Amino acid sequence: MSTAPSRTHRPRRDPDRRERILAAAAELAARRGFHTVGMADIGAEAGIVGSGIYRHFGSKDAILVALLDRVMERLQSGAEEILARPGSDREHLSALVEDHIAVAIQDRDVLAVYHREIHTLAEEDRRRLRRAQRHYVEDWVHVLAPLRPDLSDGEVRLAVHAAIGAIQSTLFFRSGLADERLAARLDVMTHACLGIDVDPRVNLQ
Protein backbone atom coordinates (compact mmCIF):
# COMPACT_ATOMS: atom_id res chain seq x y z
CA MET A 1 0.00 0.00 0.00
CA SER A 2 1.60 3.24 -1.10
CA THR A 3 1.48 6.34 0.96
CA ALA A 4 1.00 9.66 -0.77
CA PRO A 5 3.91 12.00 -0.13
CA SER A 6 3.13 14.59 2.48
CA ARG A 7 3.06 18.22 1.40
CA THR A 8 4.57 21.00 3.37
CA HIS A 9 1.96 23.65 3.94
CA ARG A 10 3.40 27.12 3.97
CA PRO A 11 1.46 29.71 5.92
CA ARG A 12 -0.50 31.97 3.64
CA ARG A 13 0.29 35.63 3.69
CA ASP A 14 -2.55 37.64 5.10
CA PRO A 15 -3.28 40.61 2.76
CA ASP A 16 -5.03 42.44 5.60
CA ARG A 17 -1.89 42.18 7.69
CA ARG A 18 0.16 43.67 4.86
CA GLU A 19 -2.28 46.59 4.68
CA ARG A 20 -2.05 47.11 8.43
CA ILE A 21 1.73 47.20 8.21
CA LEU A 22 1.66 49.83 5.46
CA ALA A 23 -0.94 51.94 7.27
CA ALA A 24 1.02 51.76 10.53
CA ALA A 25 4.29 52.66 8.81
CA ALA A 26 2.68 55.63 7.04
CA GLU A 27 1.15 57.00 10.22
CA LEU A 28 4.35 56.64 12.28
CA ALA A 29 6.54 58.02 9.50
CA ALA A 30 4.30 61.04 8.95
CA ARG A 31 4.39 61.77 12.67
CA ARG A 32 8.01 61.00 13.53
CA GLY A 33 9.99 60.59 10.31
CA PHE A 34 10.50 57.21 8.68
CA HIS A 35 14.09 56.68 9.73
CA THR A 36 13.33 57.15 13.43
CA VAL A 37 10.80 54.31 13.28
CA GLY A 38 11.88 50.71 13.86
CA MET A 39 10.32 47.47 12.71
CA ALA A 40 9.20 46.79 16.28
CA ASP A 41 7.44 50.18 16.33
CA ILE A 42 5.63 49.38 13.08
CA GLY A 43 4.67 45.95 14.35
CA ALA A 44 3.32 47.33 17.61
CA GLU A 45 1.28 49.98 15.77
CA ALA A 46 -0.12 47.33 13.41
CA GLY A 47 -0.79 44.82 16.20
CA ILE A 48 1.77 42.41 14.78
CA VAL A 49 4.90 40.90 16.29
CA GLY A 50 7.85 42.78 14.75
CA SER A 51 9.37 39.64 13.27
CA GLY A 52 6.07 38.87 11.53
CA ILE A 53 6.61 41.88 9.26
CA TYR A 54 9.35 39.98 7.45
CA ARG A 55 6.75 37.59 6.01
CA HIS A 56 5.55 40.54 3.93
CA PHE A 57 8.57 42.85 3.58
CA GLY A 58 12.24 41.98 3.48
CA SER A 59 13.34 45.21 5.11
CA LYS A 60 12.15 48.55 6.41
CA ASP A 61 13.28 50.15 3.15
CA ALA A 62 11.02 47.73 1.27
CA ILE A 63 8.08 49.07 3.29
CA LEU A 64 9.03 52.63 2.33
CA VAL A 65 9.28 51.77 -1.37
CA ALA A 66 5.90 50.01 -1.25
CA LEU A 67 4.31 53.07 0.38
CA LEU A 68 5.71 55.52 -2.14
CA ASP A 69 4.92 53.28 -5.12
CA ARG A 70 1.35 52.95 -3.91
CA VAL A 71 0.61 56.66 -3.67
CA MET A 72 2.26 57.44 -7.01
CA GLU A 73 0.38 54.60 -8.70
CA ARG A 74 -2.86 55.88 -7.16
CA LEU A 75 -2.34 59.35 -8.64
CA GLN A 76 -1.33 57.97 -12.04
CA SER A 77 -4.24 55.54 -12.28
CA GLY A 78 -6.65 58.31 -11.33
CA ALA A 79 -5.26 60.58 -14.04
CA GLU A 80 -5.37 57.81 -16.65
CA GLU A 81 -9.00 57.03 -15.84
CA ILE A 82 -9.98 60.72 -15.98
CA LEU A 83 -8.26 61.39 -19.30
CA ALA A 84 -9.83 58.30 -20.86
CA ARG A 85 -13.33 59.66 -20.23
CA PRO A 86 -15.23 61.70 -22.79
CA GLY A 87 -15.14 65.38 -21.91
CA SER A 88 -13.54 68.75 -22.50
CA ASP A 89 -10.10 69.83 -21.35
CA ARG A 90 -11.75 71.95 -18.68
CA GLU A 91 -13.77 69.01 -17.37
CA HIS A 92 -10.67 66.84 -17.34
CA LEU A 93 -8.62 69.48 -15.55
CA SER A 94 -11.26 69.99 -12.85
CA ALA A 95 -11.48 66.22 -12.39
CA LEU A 96 -7.68 66.01 -12.00
CA VAL A 97 -7.86 68.69 -9.33
CA GLU A 98 -10.68 66.88 -7.54
CA ASP A 99 -8.86 63.56 -7.63
CA HIS A 100 -5.59 64.95 -6.29
CA ILE A 101 -7.46 66.68 -3.46
CA ALA A 102 -9.13 63.36 -2.59
CA VAL A 103 -5.74 61.63 -2.39
CA ALA A 104 -4.25 64.45 -0.33
CA ILE A 105 -7.07 64.19 2.20
CA GLN A 106 -7.67 60.44 2.25
CA ASP A 107 -4.03 59.35 2.02
CA ARG A 108 -2.47 62.36 3.75
CA ASP A 109 0.02 60.29 5.78
CA VAL A 110 1.34 58.35 2.78
CA LEU A 111 1.61 61.43 0.58
CA ALA A 112 3.43 63.29 3.37
CA VAL A 113 5.90 60.40 3.64
CA TYR A 114 6.41 60.57 -0.14
CA HIS A 115 7.50 64.20 0.05
CA ARG A 116 9.64 63.78 3.14
CA GLU A 117 11.38 60.53 2.28
CA ILE A 118 11.74 60.16 -1.50
CA HIS A 119 15.25 61.64 -1.38
CA THR A 120 16.37 58.82 0.95
CA LEU A 121 15.60 56.02 -1.52
CA ALA A 122 18.14 54.08 -3.51
CA GLU A 123 18.93 55.90 -6.75
CA GLU A 124 17.05 53.46 -8.98
CA ASP A 125 13.83 53.72 -6.96
CA ARG A 126 14.16 57.49 -6.66
CA ARG A 127 14.61 57.95 -10.41
CA ARG A 128 11.68 55.65 -11.19
CA LEU A 129 9.34 57.58 -8.89
CA ARG A 130 10.57 60.98 -10.10
CA ARG A 131 9.95 59.85 -13.68
CA ALA A 132 6.40 58.80 -12.78
CA GLN A 133 5.90 62.15 -11.03
CA ARG A 134 7.01 64.05 -14.16
CA HIS A 135 4.60 62.05 -16.31
CA TYR A 136 1.78 62.86 -13.91
CA VAL A 137 2.57 66.58 -14.10
CA GLU A 138 2.58 66.32 -17.90
CA ASP A 139 -1.02 65.05 -17.77
CA TRP A 140 -2.00 68.34 -16.12
CA VAL A 141 0.10 70.40 -18.53
CA HIS A 142 -1.50 68.64 -21.51
CA VAL A 143 -5.03 69.71 -20.52
CA LEU A 144 -4.17 73.16 -19.14
CA ALA A 145 -2.16 74.41 -22.14
CA PRO A 146 -5.16 74.70 -24.54
CA LEU A 147 -7.14 76.49 -21.83
CA ARG A 148 -4.41 79.08 -21.23
CA PRO A 149 -3.11 80.09 -24.70
CA ASP A 150 -2.00 83.35 -23.11
CA LEU A 151 0.75 81.51 -21.19
CA SER A 152 4.12 80.29 -22.43
CA ASP A 153 5.04 76.64 -21.91
CA GLY A 154 7.12 77.57 -18.88
CA GLU A 155 4.25 79.57 -17.41
CA VAL A 156 1.83 76.67 -17.90
CA ARG A 157 4.20 74.35 -16.06
CA LEU A 158 4.66 76.91 -13.31
CA ALA A 159 0.88 77.13 -12.89
CA VAL A 160 0.58 73.35 -12.65
CA HIS A 161 3.32 73.10 -10.02
CA ALA A 162 1.73 75.96 -8.06
CA ALA A 163 -1.67 74.25 -8.21
CA ILE A 164 -0.36 70.88 -7.04
CA GLY A 165 1.64 72.65 -4.34
CA ALA A 166 -1.51 74.38 -3.12
CA ILE A 167 -3.23 71.01 -2.69
CA GLN A 168 -0.25 69.48 -0.96
CA SER A 169 0.05 72.33 1.52
CA THR A 170 -2.56 70.45 3.53
CA LEU A 171 -0.05 67.65 4.13
CA PHE A 172 1.98 69.77 6.51
CA PHE A 173 -0.57 72.27 7.81
CA ARG A 174 -3.60 71.13 9.77
CA SER A 175 -6.31 73.70 9.15
CA GLY A 176 -8.85 72.11 11.46
CA LEU A 177 -11.45 72.22 8.68
CA ALA A 178 -13.76 69.28 8.14
CA ASP A 179 -12.72 67.21 5.11
CA GLU A 180 -15.66 68.36 2.97
CA ARG A 181 -14.96 72.04 3.70
CA LEU A 182 -11.23 71.55 3.21
CA ALA A 183 -11.79 69.89 -0.17
CA ALA A 184 -14.07 72.72 -1.31
CA ARG A 185 -11.60 75.44 -0.32
CA LEU A 186 -8.66 73.62 -1.92
CA ASP A 187 -10.69 73.19 -5.10
CA VAL A 188 -11.25 76.95 -5.39
CA MET A 189 -7.65 77.81 -4.54
CA THR A 190 -6.18 75.26 -6.93
CA HIS A 191 -8.30 76.50 -9.83
CA ALA A 192 -7.18 80.03 -8.99
CA CYS A 193 -3.53 78.95 -9.33
CA LEU A 194 -4.37 77.53 -12.75
CA GLY A 195 -6.30 80.65 -13.75
CA ILE A 196 -9.41 78.60 -14.52
CA ASP A 197 -12.88 78.95 -13.04
CA VAL A 198 -14.21 75.97 -11.11
CA ASP A 199 -16.21 73.72 -13.43
CA PRO A 200 -19.70 73.38 -11.89
CA ARG A 201 -20.20 70.07 -13.70
CA VAL A 202 -17.49 68.39 -11.60
CA ASN A 203 -18.85 67.63 -8.16
CA LEU A 204 -16.62 67.12 -5.14
CA GLN A 205 -17.53 64.00 -3.22
Side-chain angles (χ1 to χ4, degrees):
M1 180 177 177
S2 61
T3 303
S6 62
R7 295 181 179 178
T8 302
H9 294 281
R10 297 181 180 178
R12 293 182 179 179
R13 295 184 178 182
D14 178 359
D16 291 336
R17 178 177 290 185
R18 188 176 190 277
E19 291 304 311
R20 293 204 308 274
I21 292 167
L22 289 173
E27 205 225 321
L28 289 171
R31 197 165 69 227
R32 294 165 43 185
F34 189 78
H35 292 283
T36 69
V37 176
M39 293 293 253
D41 299 320
I42 296 170
E45 184 74 19
I48 298 166
V49 176
S51 60
I53 295 176
Y54 290 100
R55 293 186 178 182
H56 302 271
F57 300 98
S59 67
K60 195 174 75 162
D61 283 347
I63 296 175
L64 178 59
V65 171
L67 280 172
L68 303 196
D69 275 338
R70 166 171 292 189
V71 73
M72 195 66 246
E73 288 167 5
R74 166 62 185 84
L75 288 169
Q76 283 188 299
S77 64
E80 288 171 5
E81 191 277 329
I82 287 165
L83 297 179
R85 299 176 198 163
S88 66
D89 287 328
R90 184 180 172 191
E91 289 172 304
H92 286 159
L93 185 62
S94 289
L96 287 171
V97 170
E98 178 188 4
D99 189 63
H100 200 113
I101 290 171
V103 174
I105 293 174
Q106 295 164 12
D107 294 322
R108 179 185 278 123
D109 287 344
V110 181
L111 202 52
V113 171
Y114 182 97
H115 285 278
R116 285 176 172 156
E117 305 292 344
I118 189 171
H119 70 282
T120 69
L121 295 181
E123 184 176 358
E124 181 180 352
D125 289 319
R126 187 171 65 251
R127 285 184 174 179
R128 174 174 50 77
L129 282 162
R130 291 294 193 198
R131 185 164 55 248
Q133 185 177 330
R134 287 194 298 272
H135 289 165
Y136 176 71
V137 168
E138 286 302 311
D139 286 337
W140 285 57
V141 169
H142 177 73
V143 293
L144 178 61
L147 299 172
R148 294 299 310 272
D150 55 310
L151 300 182
S152 68
D153 180 70
E155 288 169 330
V156 169
R157 292 171 190 280
L158 177 62
V160 168
H161 281 280
I164 292 174
I167 295 171
Q168 293 178 173
S169 65
T170 193
L171 304 179
F172 308 107
F173 168 70
R174 301 290 175 147
S175 65
L177 297 174
D179 286 351
E180 184 177 351
R181 178 66 174 167
L182 176 60
R185 296 312 304 157
L186 287 173
D187 188 56
V188 171
M189 293 171 186
T190 305
H191 279 83
C193 289
L194 297 167
I196 300 295
D197 291 335
V198 175
D199 190 334
R201 288 167 292 185
V202 177
N203 296 315
L204 286 167
Q205 300 298 318

